[in-house]
Amino acid sequence: MTAASRFAAVLVAVALAAAPAVRDAAALEGSEVPEGRWRAAEPRAKSLHRELTEEQLRDVERLRSIGYLTGSQPAPLVTGLTVHDASRAYRGLNLYTSGHFPGAVLMDMDGNVLHMWERSFLDIWPDRYADFDSENAQYWRFVHLFDNGDVLAVFEGLGLVKLDRDSRVIWTHTGGDHHDLKVTEDGLIYVLTREVVIDPRINADEPILEDHVTILDSDGRELRSVSVLSAMGNSSYLHLMAGMSAKGDIFHTNAIEILDGRLADELPAFKAGSVLLSLRTLSLLVVLDLDAGLATWVCKGAWRKQHDPSVLDNGNILIFDNNGNNDRSRVIEFNPVTDRIEWVYQTVPADGFYSQMCGAATRLPNGNTLATESDRGRAIEVTPDGDTVWEYLNPKRAGDRGELVATLFEMIRLPADFPLDWLYDR
């Protein structure tokens, strides 16, 4: 059987057996805080394989309108910086995005705000009124800070913008940019993008979100784009797609890391230049060879609905495991060669640390781990023994009575010597 015929056979099985991944929009109407948080699609259905019926176009619009909520958890009584053990915490600066506004905050270790960036969706794209109705247009999902104070900001599923230190627009990219990006030393930008498509191999009647890894130059011009669906479907790991949904957000790719080759001696797939991806809906970690356009390593482990995998200096992979701890969260360090879990951070009782969606984890240079418990608007730094040495609770509230805490998407710890000349050179 050829690769193409195997791909077709698996996709037929998916179309017959898979459960829907996207909640009916009608279920959201009249509900201030629907259960969970849901994704938005590429704003333009630009790659549909054929003419759509009116019903199919309504499905596309439904995918475009579904987004994350600004808050989804009861708000804690205390806010701001609550723990700071300066003798054990890794000294640096903190950069984060929050569900309450389209911007980012830079603060010191004591919670003092040093700088803020903010630019609304319509200020950037004044002609995109229809997309402004999406909740995803109300915040930045991810931010990257350059040494000169410029930032890259992702509006989830809607686009990417580069701003200067004063939040003035430098350039934009509208490719359904979402979740995560990485910038190389020579200025290339690897960003997750997606588009709404009708793919008859999966579902002839309802649209899907097709994820891509897209490479931009430093001016935001698109250089190349690789379909994650094709990379999986044409690989020897095709069988791991058999349980996916036949419509909607089939992969929910939520993280990207550019590999540096440190694991290539033991796992050749981890060669420099390939990328590590997280496919949330299938609970898969995937290495994608961009030159070959193929998934060359795929792993399904003890984690469920994970976020933010990263390769550590010791060759292990750190993962924010959203639902692998009896449907509660934990951070795990996993050895991809032996398949062993080498380190775990979790709480007793289990619901003391939980984010159903989003979440991030980073190993700091001093050996501590910085974890973002997004749904609860909380970031913590813990030692290898699990002691909390730094904690920040988002002070911003949502809901009619301020009873919800705004989502904290990711707390990024920058080194203490990160250049700040741009901040004081006015």
PDB file of all heavy atoms in Angstrom, residues 59-95:
ATOM      1  N   ASP A  59     -20.474  27.155   9.246  1.00  0.00           N
ATOM      2  CA  ASP A  59     -19.522  26.414  10.068  1.00  0.00           C
ATOM      3  C   ASP A  59     -18.176  27.133  10.133  1.00  0.00           C
ATOM      4  O   ASP A  59     -17.524  27.173  11.177  1.00  0.00           O
ATOM      5  CB  ASP A  59     -19.324  24.998   9.517  1.00  0.00           C
ATOM      6  CG  ASP A  59     -20.525  24.105   9.770  1.00  0.00           C
ATOM      7  OD1 ASP A  59     -21.303  24.418  10.688  1.00  0.00           O
ATOM      8  OD2 ASP A  59     -20.688  23.107   9.034  1.00  0.00           O
ATOM      9  N   VAL A  60     -17.748  27.695   8.987  1.00  0.00           N
ATOM     10  CA  VAL A  60     -16.503  28.441   8.966  1.00  0.00           C
ATOM     11  C   VAL A  60     -16.597  29.645   9.904  1.00  0.00           C
ATOM     12  O   VAL A  60     -15.691  29.922  10.692  1.00  0.00           O
ATOM     13  CB  VAL A  60     -16.172  28.896   7.534  1.00  0.00           C
ATOM     14  CG1 VAL A  60     -15.042  29.917   7.540  1.00  0.00           C
ATOM     15  CG2 VAL A  60     -15.797  27.693   6.676  1.00  0.00           C
ATOM     16  N   GLU A  61     -17.701  30.374   9.836  1.00  0.00           N
ATOM     17  CA  GLU A  61     -17.866  31.540  10.709  1.00  0.00           C
ATOM     18  C   GLU A  61     -17.884  31.135  12.172  1.00  0.00           C
ATOM     19  O   GLU A  61     -17.378  31.854  13.041  1.00  0.00           O
ATOM     20  CB  GLU A  61     -19.163  32.280  10.353  1.00  0.00           C
ATOM     21  CG  GLU A  61     -19.118  32.969   9.009  1.00  0.00           C
ATOM     22  CD  GLU A  61     -17.975  33.965   8.929  1.00  0.00           C
ATOM     23  OE1 GLU A  61     -17.775  34.739   9.885  1.00  0.00           O
ATOM     24  OE2 GLU A  61     -17.246  33.959   7.919  1.00  0.00           O
ATOM     25  N   ARG A  62     -18.445  29.969  12.469  1.00  0.00           N
ATOM     26  CA  ARG A  62     -18.467  29.501  13.852  1.00  0.00           C
ATOM     27  C   ARG A  62     -17.048  29.247  14.352  1.00  0.00           C
ATOM     28  O   ARG A  62     -16.693  29.625  15.466  1.00  0.00           O
ATOM     29  CB  ARG A  62     -19.279  28.207  13.949  1.00  0.00           C
ATOM     30  CG  ARG A  62     -19.415  27.666  15.376  1.00  0.00           C
ATOM     31  CD  ARG A  62     -20.239  26.392  15.391  1.00  0.00           C
ATOM     32  NE  ARG A  62     -19.544  25.325  14.680  1.00  0.00           N
ATOM     33  CZ  ARG A  62     -20.112  24.193  14.301  1.00  0.00           C
ATOM     34  NH1 ARG A  62     -21.394  23.985  14.521  1.00  0.00           N
ATOM     35  NH2 ARG A  62     -19.410  23.263  13.684  1.00  0.00           N
ATOM     36  N   LEU A  63     -16.223  28.628  13.511  1.00  0.00           N
ATOM     37  CA  LEU A  63     -14.832  28.402  13.898  1.00  0.00           C
ATOM     38  C   LEU A  63     -14.110  29.724  14.116  1.00  0.00           C
ATOM     39  O   LEU A  63     -13.296  29.861  15.023  1.00  0.00           O
ATOM     40  CB  LEU A  63     -14.106  27.591  12.825  1.00  0.00           C
ATOM     41  CG  LEU A  63     -14.360  26.090  12.816  1.00  0.00           C
ATOM     42  CD1 LEU A  63     -13.659  25.463  11.619  1.00  0.00           C
ATOM     43  CD2 LEU A  63     -13.893  25.443  14.097  1.00  0.00           C
ATOM     44  N   ARG A  64     -14.407  30.713  13.289  1.00  0.00           N
ATOM     45  CA  ARG A  64     -13.747  32.002  13.418  1.00  0.00           C
ATOM     46  C   ARG A  64     -14.137  32.710  14.706  1.00  0.00           C
ATOM     47  O   ARG A  64     -13.362  33.485  15.251  1.00  0.00           O
ATOM     48  CB  ARG A  64     -14.101  32.896  12.226  1.00  0.00           C
ATOM     49  CG  ARG A  64     -13.484  32.460  10.925  1.00  0.00           C
ATOM     50  CD  ARG A  64     -14.089  33.168   9.747  1.00  0.00           C
ATOM     51  NE  ARG A  64     -14.021  34.619   9.898  1.00  0.00           N
ATOM     52  CZ  ARG A  64     -14.567  35.469   9.040  1.00  0.00           C
ATOM     53  NH1 ARG A  64     -15.216  35.010   7.997  1.00  0.00           N
ATOM     54  NH2 ARG A  64     -14.462  36.759   9.223  1.00  0.00           N
ATOM     55  N   SER A  65     -15.323  32.465  15.210  1.00  0.00           N
ATOM     56  CA  SER A  65     -15.833  33.246  16.336  1.00  0.00           C
ATOM     57  C   SER A  65     -15.550  32.625  17.686  1.00  0.00           C
ATOM     58  O   SER A  65     -15.747  33.256  18.717  1.00  0.00           O
ATOM     59  CB  SER A  65     -17.346  33.442  16.188  1.00  0.00           C
ATOM     60  OG  SER A  65     -18.015  32.201  16.309  1.00  0.00           O
ATOM     61  N   ILE A  66     -15.102  31.370  17.707  1.00  0.00           N
ATOM     62  CA  ILE A  66     -14.871  30.698  18.980  1.00  0.00           C
ATOM     63  C   ILE A  66     -13.488  31.050  19.486  1.00  0.00           C
ATOM     64  O   ILE A  66     -12.508  30.888  18.778  1.00  0.00           O
ATOM     65  CB  ILE A  66     -15.018  29.173  18.834  1.00  0.00           C
ATOM     66  CG1 ILE A  66     -16.455  28.830  18.443  1.00  0.00           C
ATOM     67  CG2 ILE A  66     -14.656  28.460  20.127  1.00  0.00           C
ATOM     68  CD1 ILE A  66     -16.666  27.371  18.132  1.00  0.00           C
ATOM     69  N   GLY A  67     -13.402  31.517  20.719  1.00  0.00           N
ATOM     70  CA  GLY A  67     -12.101  31.935  21.231  1.00  0.00           C
ATOM     71  C   GLY A  67     -11.931  31.641  22.698  1.00  0.00           C
ATOM     72  O   GLY A  67     -12.824  31.150  23.375  1.00  0.00           O
ATOM     73  N   TYR A  68     -10.742  31.969  23.211  1.00  0.00           N
ATOM     74  CA  TYR A  68     -10.487  31.850  24.637  1.00  0.00           C
ATOM     75  C   TYR A  68     -11.320  32.874  25.394  1.00  0.00           C
ATOM     76  O   TYR A  68     -11.618  33.960  24.896  1.00  0.00           O
ATOM     77  CB  TYR A  68      -9.011  32.130  24.942  1.00  0.00           C
ATOM     78  CG  TYR A  68      -8.055  31.082  24.465  1.00  0.00           C
ATOM     79  CD1 TYR A  68      -7.162  31.359  23.445  1.00  0.00           C
ATOM     80  CD2 TYR A  68      -8.023  29.832  25.051  1.00  0.00           C
ATOM     81  CE1 TYR A  68      -6.253  30.404  23.013  1.00  0.00           C
ATOM     82  CE2 TYR A  68      -7.127  28.867  24.638  1.00  0.00           C
ATOM     83  CZ  TYR A  68      -6.247  29.168  23.617  1.00  0.00           C
ATOM     84  OH  TYR A  68      -5.353  28.227  23.201  1.00  0.00           O
ATOM     85  N   LEU A  69     -11.652  32.551  26.628  1.00  0.00           N
ATOM     86  CA  LEU A  69     -12.299  33.525  27.494  1.00  0.00           C
ATOM     87  C   LEU A  69     -11.247  34.320  28.241  1.00  0.00           C
ATOM     88  O   LEU A  69     -10.166  33.838  28.529  1.00  0.00           O
ATOM     89  CB  LEU A  69     -13.203  32.811  28.507  1.00  0.00           C
ATOM     90  CG  LEU A  69     -14.368  32.038  27.905  1.00  0.00           C
ATOM     91  CD1 LEU A  69     -15.157  31.368  29.001  1.00  0.00           C
ATOM     92  CD2 LEU A  69     -15.261  32.976  27.106  1.00  0.00           C
ATOM     93  N   THR A  70     -11.583  35.565  28.599  1.00  0.00           N
ATOM     94  CA  THR A  70     -10.619  36.376  29.320  1.00  0.00           C
ATOM     95  C   THR A  70     -10.421  35.880  30.737  1.00  0.00           C
ATOM     96  O   THR A  70      -9.395  36.101  31.346  1.00  0.00           O
ATOM     97  CB  THR A  70     -11.081  37.836  29.361  1.00  0.00           C
ATOM     98  OG1 THR A  70     -12.403  37.884  29.896  1.00  0.00           O
ATOM     99  CG2 THR A  70     -11.078  38.431  27.974  1.00  0.00           C
ATOM    100  N   GLY A  71     -11.382  35.207  31.304  1.00  0.00           N
ATOM    101  CA  GLY A  71     -11.234  34.642  32.636  1.00  0.00           C
ATOM    102  C   GLY A  71     -12.129  33.434  32.783  1.00  0.00           C
ATOM    103  O   GLY A  71     -13.214  33.393  32.216  1.00  0.00           O
ATOM    104  N   SER A  72     -11.682  32.425  33.537  1.00  0.00           N
ATOM    105  CA  SER A  72     -12.497  31.218  33.643  1.00  0.00           C
ATOM    106  C   SER A  72     -12.394  30.539  34.990  1.00  0.00           C
ATOM    107  O   SER A  72     -12.913  29.455  35.160  1.00  0.00           O
ATOM    108  CB  SER A  72     -12.083  30.218  32.557  1.00  0.00           C
ATOM    109  OG  SER A  72     -10.759  29.772  32.770  1.00  0.00           O
ATOM    110  N   GLN A  73     -11.730  31.158  35.955  1.00  0.00           N
ATOM    111  CA  GLN A  73     -11.570  30.552  37.268  1.00  0.00           C
ATOM    112  C   GLN A  73     -11.950  31.547  38.356  1.00  0.00           C
ATOM    113  O   GLN A  73     -11.796  32.753  38.179  1.00  0.00           O
ATOM    114  CB  GLN A  73     -10.115  30.104  37.475  1.00  0.00           C
ATOM    115  CG  GLN A  73      -9.697  28.938  36.606  1.00  0.00           C
ATOM    116  CD  GLN A  73     -10.328  27.633  37.041  1.00  0.00           C
ATOM    117  OE1 GLN A  73     -10.563  27.409  38.217  1.00  0.00           O
ATOM    118  NE2 GLN A  73     -10.622  26.770  36.087  1.00  0.00           N
ATOM    119  N   PRO A  74     -12.459  31.056  39.501  1.00  0.00           N
ATOM    120  CA  PRO A  74     -12.728  31.957  40.624  1.00  0.00           C
ATOM    121  C   PRO A  74     -11.461  32.700  41.015  1.00  0.00           C
ATOM    122  O   PRO A  74     -10.365  32.137  41.032  1.00  0.00           O
ATOM    123  CB  PRO A  74     -13.181  31.005  41.735  1.00  0.00           C
ATOM    124  CG  PRO A  74     -13.676  29.795  41.019  1.00  0.00           C
ATOM    125  CD  PRO A  74     -12.820  29.672  39.791  1.00  0.00           C
ATOM    126  N   ALA A  75     -11.596  33.983  41.309  1.00  0.00           N
ATOM    127  CA  ALA A  75     -10.435  34.812  41.605  1.00  0.00           C
ATOM    128  C   ALA A  75      -9.938  34.587  43.028  1.00  0.00           C
ATOM    129  O   ALA A  75     -10.727  34.489  43.962  1.00  0.00           O
ATOM    130  CB  ALA A  75     -10.790  36.285  41.418  1.00  0.00           C
ATOM    131  N   PRO A  76      -8.626  34.501  43.230  1.00  0.00           N
ATOM    132  CA  PRO A  76      -8.095  34.393  44.588  1.00  0.00           C
ATOM    133  C   PRO A  76      -8.271  35.706  45.339  1.00  0.00           C
ATOM    134  O   PRO A  76      -8.429  36.770  44.744  1.00  0.00           O
ATOM    135  CB  PRO A  76      -6.612  34.077  44.353  1.00  0.00           C
ATOM    136  CG  PRO A  76      -6.312  34.648  43.011  1.00  0.00           C
ATOM    137  CD  PRO A  76      -7.577  34.480  42.201  1.00  0.00           C
ATOM    138  N   LEU A  77      -8.224  35.629  46.659  1.00  0.00           N
ATOM    139  CA  LEU A  77      -8.414  36.820  47.478  1.00  0.00           C
ATOM    140  C   LEU A  77      -7.188  37.726  47.433  1.00  0.00           C
ATOM    141  O   LEU A  77      -7.317  38.948  47.514  1.00  0.00           O
ATOM    142  CB  LEU A  77      -8.715  36.409  48.926  1.00  0.00           C
ATOM    143  CG  LEU A  77     -10.017  35.627  49.126  1.00  0.00           C
ATOM    144  CD1 LEU A  77     -10.153  35.225  50.593  1.00  0.00           C
ATOM    145  CD2 LEU A  77     -11.214  36.450  48.684  1.00  0.00           C
ATOM    146  N   VAL A  78      -5.992  37.147  47.343  1.00  0.00           N
ATOM    147  CA  VAL A  78      -4.777  37.948  47.286  1.00  0.00           C
ATOM    148  C   VAL A  78      -4.308  38.050  45.849  1.00  0.00           C
ATOM    149  O   VAL A  78      -4.596  37.181  45.017  1.00  0.00           O
ATOM    150  CB  VAL A  78      -3.674  37.321  48.156  1.00  0.00           C
ATOM    151  CG1 VAL A  78      -4.047  37.388  49.617  1.00  0.00           C
ATOM    152  CG2 VAL A  78      -3.399  35.884  47.741  1.00  0.00           C
ATOM    153  N   THR A  79      -3.589  39.119  45.519  1.00  0.00           N
ATOM    154  CA  THR A  79      -3.134  39.324  44.151  1.00  0.00           C
ATOM    155  C   THR A  79      -1.715  39.886  44.155  1.00  0.00           C
ATOM    156  O   THR A  79      -1.180  40.276  45.191  1.00  0.00           O
ATOM    157  CB  THR A  79      -4.049  40.300  43.395  1.00  0.00           C
ATOM    158  OG1 THR A  79      -3.979  41.587  44.032  1.00  0.00           O
ATOM    159  CG2 THR A  79      -5.481  39.819  43.378  1.00  0.00           C
ATOM    160  N   GLY A  80      -1.142  39.955  42.951  1.00  0.00           N
ATOM    161  CA  GLY A  80       0.194  40.491  42.800  1.00  0.00           C
ATOM    162  C   GLY A  80       1.251  39.527  43.304  1.00  0.00           C
ATOM    163  O   GLY A  80       1.053  38.311  43.351  1.00  0.00           O
ATOM    164  N   LEU A  81       2.386  40.073  43.704  1.00  0.00           N
ATOM    165  CA  LEU A  81       3.478  39.257  44.206  1.00  0.00           C
ATOM    166  C   LEU A  81       3.170  38.792  45.619  1.00  0.00           C
ATOM    167  O   LEU A  81       2.946  39.598  46.518  1.00  0.00           O
ATOM    168  CB  LEU A  81       4.783  40.061  44.193  1.00  0.00           C
ATOM    169  CG  LEU A  81       6.048  39.275  44.521  1.00  0.00           C
ATOM    170  CD1 LEU A  81       6.409  38.336  43.377  1.00  0.00           C
ATOM    171  CD2 LEU A  81       7.207  40.219  44.811  1.00  0.00           C
ATOM    172  N   THR A  82       3.141  37.484  45.823  1.00  0.00           N
ATOM    173  CA  THR A  82       2.802  36.926  47.135  1.00  0.00           C
ATOM    174  C   THR A  82       3.956  36.179  47.785  1.00  0.00           C
ATOM    175  O   THR A  82       3.958  35.989  48.997  1.00  0.00           O
ATOM    176  CB  THR A  82       1.602  35.964  47.013  1.00  0.00           C
ATOM    177  OG1 THR A  82       1.950  34.898  46.129  1.00  0.00           O
ATOM    178  CG2 THR A  82       0.375  36.701  46.479  1.00  0.00           C
ATOM    179  N   VAL A  83       4.923  35.719  46.975  1.00  0.00           N
ATOM    180  CA  VAL A  83       6.096  35.016  47.500  1.00  0.00           C
ATOM    181  C   VAL A  83       7.321  35.488  46.733  1.00  0.00           C
ATOM    182  O   VAL A  83       7.296  35.569  45.500  1.00  0.00           O
ATOM    183  CB  VAL A  83       5.969  33.482  47.353  1.00  0.00           C
ATOM    184  CG1 VAL A  83       7.248  32.795  47.841  1.00  0.00           C
ATOM    185  CG2 VAL A  83       4.758  32.954  48.088  1.00  0.00           C
ATOM    186  N   HIS A  84       8.404  35.818  47.451  1.00  0.00           N
ATOM    187  CA  HIS A  84       9.670  36.140  46.798  1.00  0.00           C
ATOM    188  C   HIS A  84      10.810  35.831  47.752  1.00  0.00           C
ATOM    189  O   HIS A  84      11.137  36.624  48.635  1.00  0.00           O
ATOM    190  CB  HIS A  84       9.721  37.606  46.364  1.00  0.00           C
ATOM    191  CG  HIS A  84      10.974  37.943  45.599  1.00  0.00           C
ATOM    192  ND1 HIS A  84      11.380  39.245  45.360  1.00  0.00           N
ATOM    193  CD2 HIS A  84      11.912  37.146  45.012  1.00  0.00           C
ATOM    194  CE1 HIS A  84      12.514  39.229  44.676  1.00  0.00           C
ATOM    195  NE2 HIS A  84      12.852  37.968  44.450  1.00  0.00           N
ATOM    196  N   ASP A  85      11.395  34.673  47.567  1.00  0.00           N
ATOM    197  CA  ASP A  85      12.573  34.277  48.321  1.00  0.00           C
ATOM    198  C   ASP A  85      13.787  34.642  47.462  1.00  0.00           C
ATOM    199  O   ASP A  85      14.217  33.861  46.616  1.00  0.00           O
ATOM    200  CB  ASP A  85      12.530  32.770  48.606  1.00  0.00           C
ATOM    201  CG  ASP A  85      13.693  32.288  49.458  1.00  0.00           C
ATOM    202  OD1 ASP A  85      14.703  33.006  49.542  1.00  0.00           O
ATOM    203  OD2 ASP A  85      13.593  31.174  50.010  1.00  0.00           O
ATOM    204  N   ALA A  86      14.304  35.841  47.687  1.00  0.00           N
ATOM    205  CA  ALA A  86      15.350  36.374  46.822  1.00  0.00           C
ATOM    206  C   ALA A  86      16.618  35.529  46.850  1.00  0.00           C
ATOM    207  O   ALA A  86      17.394  35.536  45.886  1.00  0.00           O
ATOM    208  CB  ALA A  86      15.674  37.813  47.217  1.00  0.00           C
ATOM    209  N   SER A  87      16.841  34.793  47.926  1.00  0.00           N
ATOM    210  CA  SER A  87      18.056  33.986  48.025  1.00  0.00           C
ATOM    211  C   SER A  87      17.993  32.727  47.170  1.00  0.00           C
ATOM    212  O   SER A  87      19.032  32.142  46.842  1.00  0.00           O
ATOM    213  CB  SER A  87      18.313  33.601  49.488  1.00  0.00           C
ATOM    214  OG  SER A  87      17.281  32.741  49.976  1.00  0.00           O
ATOM    215  N   ARG A  88      16.782  32.285  46.789  1.00  0.00           N
ATOM    216  CA  ARG A  88      16.656  31.048  46.021  1.00  0.00           C
ATOM    217  C   ARG A  88      16.006  31.227  44.658  1.00  0.00           C
ATOM    218  O   ARG A  88      16.130  30.356  43.791  1.00  0.00           O
ATOM    219  CB  ARG A  88      15.873  30.011  46.830  1.00  0.00           C
ATOM    220  CG  ARG A  88      16.605  29.519  48.069  1.00  0.00           C
ATOM    221  CD  ARG A  88      15.956  28.254  48.623  1.00  0.00           C
ATOM    222  NE  ARG A  88      14.641  28.525  49.221  1.00  0.00           N
ATOM    223  CZ  ARG A  88      13.788  27.569  49.590  1.00  0.00           C
ATOM    224  NH1 ARG A  88      14.101  26.292  49.388  1.00  0.00           N
ATOM    225  NH2 ARG A  88      12.636  27.884  50.162  1.00  0.00           N
ATOM    226  N   ALA A  89      15.308  32.322  44.429  1.00  0.00           N
ATOM    227  CA  ALA A  89      14.685  32.569  43.126  1.00  0.00           C
ATOM    228  C   ALA A  89      15.735  33.035  42.124  1.00  0.00           C
ATOM    229  O   ALA A  89      16.740  33.661  42.491  1.00  0.00           O
ATOM    230  CB  ALA A  89      13.582  33.613  43.257  1.00  0.00           C
ATOM    231  N   TYR A  90      15.504  32.712  40.858  1.00  0.00           N
ATOM    232  CA  TYR A  90      16.415  33.143  39.798  1.00  0.00           C
ATOM    233  C   TYR A  90      16.153  34.606  39.484  1.00  0.00           C
ATOM    234  O   TYR A  90      15.051  34.995  39.092  1.00  0.00           O
ATOM    235  CB  TYR A  90      16.219  32.287  38.548  1.00  0.00           C
ATOM    236  CG  TYR A  90      17.067  32.739  37.379  1.00  0.00           C
ATOM    237  CD1 TYR A  90      18.448  32.583  37.413  1.00  0.00           C
ATOM    238  CD2 TYR A  90      16.493  33.323  36.266  1.00  0.00           C
ATOM    239  CE1 TYR A  90      19.239  32.998  36.346  1.00  0.00           C
ATOM    240  CE2 TYR A  90      17.275  33.738  35.190  1.00  0.00           C
ATOM    241  CZ  TYR A  90      18.642  33.581  35.250  1.00  0.00           C
ATOM    242  OH  TYR A  90      19.424  34.000  34.193  1.00  0.00           O
ATOM    243  N   ARG A  91      17.166  35.442  39.669  1.00  0.00           N
ATOM    244  CA  ARG A  91      17.007  36.882  39.516  1.00  0.00           C
ATOM    245  C   ARG A  91      16.888  37.240  38.036  1.00  0.00           C
ATOM    246  O   ARG A  91      17.668  36.772  37.208  1.00  0.00           O
ATOM    247  CB  ARG A  91      18.197  37.607  40.138  1.00  0.00           C
ATOM    248  CG  ARG A  91      18.061  39.119  40.200  1.00  0.00           C
ATOM    249  CD  ARG A  91      19.162  39.714  41.061  1.00  0.00           C
ATOM    250  NE  ARG A  91      20.479  39.466  40.467  1.00  0.00           N
ATOM    251  CZ  ARG A  91      21.102  40.307  39.641  1.00  0.00           C
ATOM    252  NH1 ARG A  91      20.491  41.443  39.278  1.00  0.00           N
ATOM    253  NH2 ARG A  91      22.295  40.027  39.169  1.00  0.00           N
ATOM    254  N   GLY A  92      15.893  38.064  37.705  1.00  0.00           N
ATOM    255  CA  GLY A  92      15.715  38.477  36.327  1.00  0.00           C
ATOM    256  C   GLY A  92      14.559  39.442  36.175  1.00  0.00           C
ATOM    257  O   GLY A  92      14.162  40.133  37.119  1.00  0.00           O
ATOM    258  N   LEU A  93      14.018  39.501  34.974  1.00  0.00           N
ATOM    259  CA  LEU A  93      12.865  40.325  34.650  1.00  0.00           C
ATOM    260  C   LEU A  93      11.732  39.410  34.212  1.00  0.00           C
ATOM    261  O   LEU A  93      11.965  38.288  33.763  1.00  0.00           O
ATOM    262  CB  LEU A  93      13.207  41.309  33.526  1.00  0.00           C
ATOM    263  CG  LEU A  93      14.387  42.246  33.775  1.00  0.00           C
ATOM    264  CD1 LEU A  93      14.744  42.990  32.487  1.00  0.00           C
ATOM    265  CD2 LEU A  93      14.080  43.235  34.888  1.00  0.00           C
ATOM    266  N   ASN A  94      10.514  39.886  34.328  1.00  0.00           N
ATOM    267  CA  ASN A  94       9.338  39.074  34.008  1.00  0.00           C
ATOM    268  C   ASN A  94       8.490  39.751  32.945  1.00  0.00           C
ATOM    269  O   ASN A  94       8.133  40.926  33.077  1.00  0.00           O
ATOM    270  CB  ASN A  94       8.502  38.843  35.269  1.00  0.00           C
ATOM    271  CG  ASN A  94       9.263  38.066  36.320  1.00  0.00           C
ATOM    272  OD1 ASN A  94       9.445  36.866  36.211  1.00  0.00           O
ATOM    273  ND2 ASN A  94       9.744  38.774  37.350  1.00  0.00           N
ATOM    274  N   LEU A  95       8.181  38.992  31.909  1.00  0.00           N
ATOM    275  CA  LEU A  95       7.381  39.481  30.785  1.00  0.00           C
ATOM    276  C   LEU A  95       6.165  38.586  30.649  1.00  0.00           C
ATOM    277  O   LEU A  95       6.286  37.360  30.654  1.00  0.00           O
ATOM    278  CB  LEU A  95       8.217  39.426  29.503  1.00  0.00           C
ATOM    279  CG  LEU A  95       7.540  39.821  28.187  1.00  0.00           C
ATOM    280  CD1 LEU A  95       7.249  41.316  28.161  1.00  0.00           C
ATOM    281  CD2 LEU A  95       8.428  39.429  26.995  1.00  0.00           C
TER     282      LEU A  95
END
